Amino acid sequence: MSTTTETPAPGAAEQATTPVLAVEDLVVSFDGFRAIDGVTLEVAAGELRFLIGPNGAGKTTLVDVVTGLTKATEGRVLFQGTDITGEAEHRIVRHGIGRSFQTPTVFEALTVVENLDLAASFRRRLPALLRSRRGVSDDIAAPLERIGLQATADRLAGTLSHGQKQWLEIGMLLVQQPRLLLLDEPVAGMSPHERTATGELLQSLAGEHTIVVIEHDMAFLRAYAQQVTVLHEGRVLSQGNVEYVQHDPAVREVYLGRARDERSGGVHLDVPSLVQEGDDGR
Amino acid sequence: MTAPTTSSGDIDAGIPPESPAARDARWGRPRTPMSLLGPRGASPWVGRLVFVAAVVLLFAGPELIADPTRLRQWAEYLCYAMIAVGVDLAWGYGGMLVLGQGVFFGLGAYAMGMHLSLEQTGPGQLPQFMSLYSDYSELPLLWRPFEHLWFAAAAAVVVPVLVAAALGWLVFRRRIRGPYFAILTQATALVFWLLLVGQLQLTAGTNGLTNFSEIFGRSKYEPGTNEFLYYLAAGGLLVVVVLASQLVRSRYGRLLIATRDGEDRVRFLGYDPAVTKTVAFAVAAGMAGLAGALVAPIIGIVAPNQFAVLPSIIMIVWVAVGGRGTIIGALLGALAVSYLKTRVSETRPDDWQYFQGLLFVVVIAYVPGGLVGVARGSWLRGRRLLGSRGQRGDVSPPRPTRGTTEVTA
Ligand SMILES: Nc1ncnc2c1ncn2[C@@H]1O[C@H](COP(=O)(O)OP(=O)(O)OP(=O)(O)O)[C@@H](O)[C@H]1O
Ligand SMILES: [Mg+2]
């Protein structure tokens, strides 16, 4: 079940009909607790897909399985039609899948350029790695500019601000030129200005790359999402474009229900606003 | 405990130091090496000058040290420095707490010790201990190739490298790390000792191999032999330091540091940490093996107790005292602690063990950056006092300075 709405261009039929990412009947169980409980999902080439859902819905776990960090209990993961279920993490990366983490993890003892260079060198074999880096190659200079960190190129990554670290992490993904990018809450903790910049970056990347973004921020979602998949308790609750998902009664039920129950928690404060704004017809 | 670890700043490229709080938060992770020996960034000439001066000093040893006993001791320290540089690669840069480097040191020492034993007795003869303790009537197969110096020298390095590579690959592929890895290496040291002691007929047991009166074709008592051995050790150390500096500066070196700080993250960049770590572990083992081969003729005895558990731990002490994560630190740490040991043991032989333990505890608790950390800290403080170069403690606002002046090669 493809969720792509565009009809594929004639002649590109073969290419377009094979989804970049296909998850089939995936189950992940942690000691009997089913964090993912039968998820089937396809992401077409060039898509910018948002993955949302309440805390504990299984979003991160889904990405973990695709990237080999967590093993699937049942089901398969296909990348461009190839079964990659259970492969080692570094091999999955070499297929062309990059991911970022919920908390940015850059190498703080290395400089910004060294971080990028390390990411860019991942296909080099050991003898090539034994040579020193000389200067900054174009492969790195361009992404460095794109993430706006030229001025900090030679600084230790540990001295960057939170938002800069997140961008560096995105930059490290970009230099690897993955077919599929999986970003876990890339704008969490960013300033509004940084969010806009990130959103525009993601939009400019989509098409060329296929991107899956996990995000809690609803304003961000409305501004930049094309397709949205809603996860809830390990299942796909709803799927479609932003408009459709906003009006889906099932989604409203989950978010409004939870918002009522957990008002004091304050975790999902921005989520009901998604539905309310939808109600108002915008 | 918030000891001011100003040690961790980086004086390399005029990079502003981290806030002390951020530094304190992770003293366990040494920073990018200051690399006095392999300068990067601002002042390559200073680094190069220091390096040349150090090499001159190293090879001037025999001129500076007249007493032959002292000279031999310094040659011995140089061998320890080789081990320390290897330990630093594995532990300081790679985050692998190697508690069994004595095994590789011992393998190298035994390889050379076997050759020296045979050199002394002459071709085809059994070494003394063998005619005493064993029922071999002719030289056992294992011993035979060691008649050749080239074989012994090669084996002293290659065997440790292969053993470490095999062990490392097995262990790292199964993602055994941290304390489990440390305990495992410690166990190998124990097993090695048991083997050496147990295989009396082949190894001379606890007595070890001794009486090397002929050393590489010259008599032990001949004038100049001490100098010769010193120069060998100095040459060996130079090779080790140059190799280590290049490794550390290379992309592989960056990868090693990244693997130390985020092994799991490195996987998602497409690297296999097992390969990265195995290489560093094997190189460190090769350095220890080389040190063993060179130390055997210097101290004239190769016995199990030199390579057991305790000596392996002392190798960690060298690096911790000197400054983990810098090659110069590991090297100086080995020299300083060894020298101190000789001095203390000469005057109060019973006190060294306590002194050493105390030293280790003090360094770990109060001076995690070691000697190099202290030096670096005072350097940074000095610069700030003098007000040279815009040094800032606070780094949150990005500074629009120092653009990338590096050019693509
Ligand atoms: N390794 C694990 N062992 C046991 N339970 C786990 C493990 N990882 C995740 N879980 C559980 O699985 C469920 C899904 O977690 P997951 O991290 O995927 O949620 P999420 O949708 O990413 O949530 P959030 O929005 O908070 O990031 C949670 O209930 C979590 O506690
Ligand atoms: Mg999550």
Side-chain angles (χ1 to χ4, degrees), chain A residues 7 27 57 59 70 100 102 108 112 119 141 170 204 212 219 258-259:
Chain A
T7 42
V27 175
K59 309 180 292 293
T70 300
S100 72
Q102 206 159 342
E108 308 206 331
V112 169
I170 294 175
S204 74
V212 175
R258 286 175 68 98

Side-chain angles (χ1 to χ4, degrees), chain A residues 54-61 64 99 102 184-185 214 216:
Chain A
N55 286 109
K59 309 180 292 293
T60 300
T61 305
D64 286 348
R99 78 169 287 184
Q102 206 159 342
D184 200 348
E185 306 196 16
I214 297 179
H216 272 306

Side-chain angles (χ1 to χ4, degrees), chain B residues 338-397:
Chain B
S338 305
Y339 177 76
L340 211 62
K341 175 182 177 177
T342 308
R343 277 297 152 112
V344 172
S345 316
E346 274 169 4
T347 47
R348 350 169 40 139
D350 298 332
D351 294 347
W352 171 248
Q353 293 301 344
Y354 303 106
F355 190 78
Q356 180 169 260
L358 192 68
L359 186 70
F360 191 46
V361 171
V362 167
V363 165
I364 294 292
Y366 298 100
V367 206
L371 290 175
V372 165
V374 171
R376 201 186 281 177
S378 16
W379 162 263
L380 280 176
R381 234 169 293 134
R383 272 211 320 195
R384 218 164 310 158
L385 278 179
L386 291 173
S388 67
R389 308 252 200 112
Q391 288 287 324
R392 287 193 208 172
D394 177 27
V395 287
S396 23

Side-chain angles (χ1 to χ4, degrees), chain B residues 129-395:
Chain B
F129 81 88
M130 231 180 248
S131 28
L132 286 177
Y133 308 140
S134 77
D135 25 81
Y136 288 117
S137 54
E138 57 178 34
L139 205 54
L141 214 58
L142 176 71
W143 272 70
R144 246 175 251 171
F146 288 91
E147 281 182 345
H148 309 286
L149 175 59
W150 65 265
F151 183 88
V157 177
V158 172
V159 171
V161 166
L162 291 182
V163 170
L167 182 69
W169 182 243
L170 268 174
V171 169
F172 299 133
R173 222 180 22 151
R174 307 203 55 220
R175 303 193 182 179
I176 295 170
R177 55 178 157 177
Y180 302 99
F181 174 76
I183 291 166
L184 201 136
T185 54
Q186 180 94 93
T188 61
L190 190 61
V191 169
F192 185 61
W193 185 84
L194 288 172
L195 265 176
L196 289 176
V197 172
Q199 299 295 313
L200 183 69
Q201 303 201 343
L202 276 175
T203 64
T206 35
N207 292 342
L209 308 172
T210 49
N211 299 327
F212 310 141
S213 52
E214 289 287 313
I215 295 165
F216 308 148
R218 52 196 305 163
S219 161
K220 179 177 151 188
Y221 307 103
E222 209 173 303
T225 299
N226 270 338
E227 281 81 358
F228 172 68
L229 291 177
Y230 178 91
Y231 285 127
L232 270 185
L237 180 59
L238 186 62
V239 168
V240 162
V241 166
V242 168
L243 178 68
S245 305
Q246 175 54 30
L247 269 185
V248 164
R249 246 180 310 165
S250 72
R251 286 197 165 94
Y252 170 79
R254 308 290 101 186
L255 175 60
L256 188 59
I257 292 174
T259 307
R260 172 195 72 195
D261 292 346
E263 181 166 337
D264 294 320
R265 182 71 186 86
V266 160
R267 289 182 214 283
F268 294 98
L269 288 183
Y271 295 101
D272 186 356
V275 176
T276 313
K277 292 167 82 173
T278 300
V279 169
F281 187 47
V283 170
M287 289 174 175
L290 178 65
L294 292 173
V295 94
I298 294 171
I299 52 182
I301 177 167
V302 177
N305 282 348
Q306 293 164 279
F307 314 108
V309 171
L310 203 58
S312 299
I313 294 173
I314 289 163
M315 293 167 188
I316 291 287
V317 178
W318 294 335
V319 177
V321 167
R324 185 184 166 201
T326 60
I327 287 166
I328 183 85
L331 192 153
L332 291 179
L335 296 184
V337 174
S338 305
Y339 177 76
L340 211 62
K341 175 182 177 177
T342 308
R343 277 297 152 112
V344 172
S345 316
E346 274 169 4
T347 47
R348 350 169 40 139
D350 298 332
D351 294 347
W352 171 248
Q353 293 301 344
Y354 303 106
F355 190 78
Q356 180 169 260
L358 192 68
L359 186 70
F360 191 46
V361 171
V362 167
V363 165
I364 294 292
Y366 298 100
V367 206
L371 290 175
V372 165
V374 171
R376 201 186 281 177
S378 16
W379 162 263
L380 280 176
R381 234 169 293 134
R383 272 211 320 195
R384 218 164 310 158
L385 278 179
L386 291 173
S388 67
R389 308 252 200 112
Q391 288 287 324
R392 287 193 208 172
D394 177 27
V395 287

